[in-house]
Amino acid sequence: MLNLLLAVSQYAGDRALWERTEQVLDSLSSRMHPLTALYRDAGSDVLRRGPGVRKRVEEAISLVADGEPWDITRLAVSAHYVDALRVFRPHLERMIDREQSSGATSDVMTMLHLVMLDQVAAGAWEEAEQTGLRGLEMTKAHGLQLFTHQFCVDLGLLAAHKGEAERARELQARVEAWSRPRGVGLLIQQADAVGTAAALSHGDYETAYRFASRITPPGTFE
């Protein structure tokens, strides 16, 4: 339940909800599983809780490497937050191959999302786009709209990096139109990141600043 609470708080992207979540987690800290504590430190406030998390993530890989797909997924997300995803990538790819046909489909989608992020970071943009399109087709086949729009964000950010500003803005608008009325704060912020990157790719610094300010108001860090 604590793992689920963390996931809900991450997708909501709401400061007040995070504060309530932190209170619940603090009240149960003595009974919290070590991996849940790791997910919290990596995903809730890595700026303040981050010291030592990367080492803990790398040490935890051996504990879940052949475990359940949802354990792999949660630890891989934590690895992404502390720039350790490259170490985790072989485990993700092995799990995708194992689960994609008849296994934990939603976890496979998250794993593809993470693989794509690592490919983008490595400059393997063609491979990243193919991974993103593969994930997008899976979400459409299963009717999972949240994952659909996550891949739209990923592909939009990639388009912005490539200077394809029009496509980036189209994907940004699609994600925002879906996520804002539903209060999916994480995707709203990521859509603003797409807008920021698209504007920067064309030297439109005023628009980039406007989008970036919607993620975090100037002078603060949220």
Side-chain angles (χ1 to χ4, degrees):
M1 292 301 293
L2 291 180
N3 291 335
L4 178 59
L5 179 61
L6 282 168
V8 170
S9 300
Q10 286 170 341
Y11 271 100
D14 179 81
R15 183 170 184 171
L17 177 59
W18 262 121
E19 290 174 352
R20 294 197 297 274
T21 296
E22 292 285 5
Q23 291 172 3
V24 172
L25 295 172
D26 285 341
S27 70
L28 297 171
S29 59
S30 63
R31 299 162 58 190
M32 191 182 301
H33 192 282
L35 286 178
T36 300
L38 177 56
Y39 305 147
R40 175 194 188 181
D41 291 345
S44 66
D45 191 349
V46 71
L47 193 65
R48 296 178 178 84
R49 296 181 175 275
V53 170
R54 178 172 178 138
K55 181 179 179 181
R56 288 162 59 197
V57 167
E58 293 175 347
E59 290 173 346
I61 290 175
S62 61
L63 301 178
V64 302
D66 297 313
E68 300 293 350
W70 40 88
D71 291 325
I72 297 285
T73 300
R74 283 193 288 259
L75 189 55
V77 171
S78 299
H80 168 60
Y81 289 140
V82 294
D83 198 27
L85 194 52
R86 179 56 55 86
V87 179
F88 213 89
R89 173 97 167 265
H91 303 288
L92 286 176
E93 292 174 336
R94 184 170 65 251
M95 190 63 67
I96 288 170
D97 291 339
R98 192 185 85 178
E99 300 289 329
Q100 63 180 343
S101 59
S102 60
T105 305
S106 60
D107 284 284
V108 170
M109 295 175 190
T110 302
M111 292 176 194
L112 286 171
H113 157 66
L114 292 166
V115 168
M116 181 182 177
L117 292 179
D118 190 55
Q119 289 169 331
V120 171
W125 288 356
E126 290 187 13
E127 292 90 339
E129 184 163 15
Q130 291 304 310
T131 301
L133 292 173
R134 175 185 172 188
L136 189 60
E137 286 303 311
M138 284 189 67
T139 69
K140 291 178 179 178
H142 293 277
L144 299 177
Q145 289 291 307
L146 179 64
F147 289 104
T148 294
H149 290 85
Q150 179 65 73
F151 280 108
C152 286
V153 162
D154 296 340
L155 291 166
L157 194 58
L158 178 59
H161 289 334
K162 295 165 65 177
E164 299 170 357
E166 183 175 353
R167 173 167 167 74
R169 285 193 289 265
E170 289 174 357
L171 290 166
Q172 174 198 3
R174 176 180 175 182
V175 172
E176 184 158 352
W178 183 86
S179 57
R180 191 169 291 280
R182 293 168 175 80
V184 187
L186 176 64
L187 291 185
I188 295 170
Q189 293 171 356
Q190 290 177 338
D192 286 335
V194 172
T196 302
L200 286 173
S201 72
H202 284 264
D204 186 354
Y205 303 118
E206 183 175 346
T207 299
Y209 182 80
R210 176 167 55 85
F211 278 121
S213 297
R214 285 165 48 168
I215 301 171
T216 298
T220 66
F221 188 88
E222 297 184 359

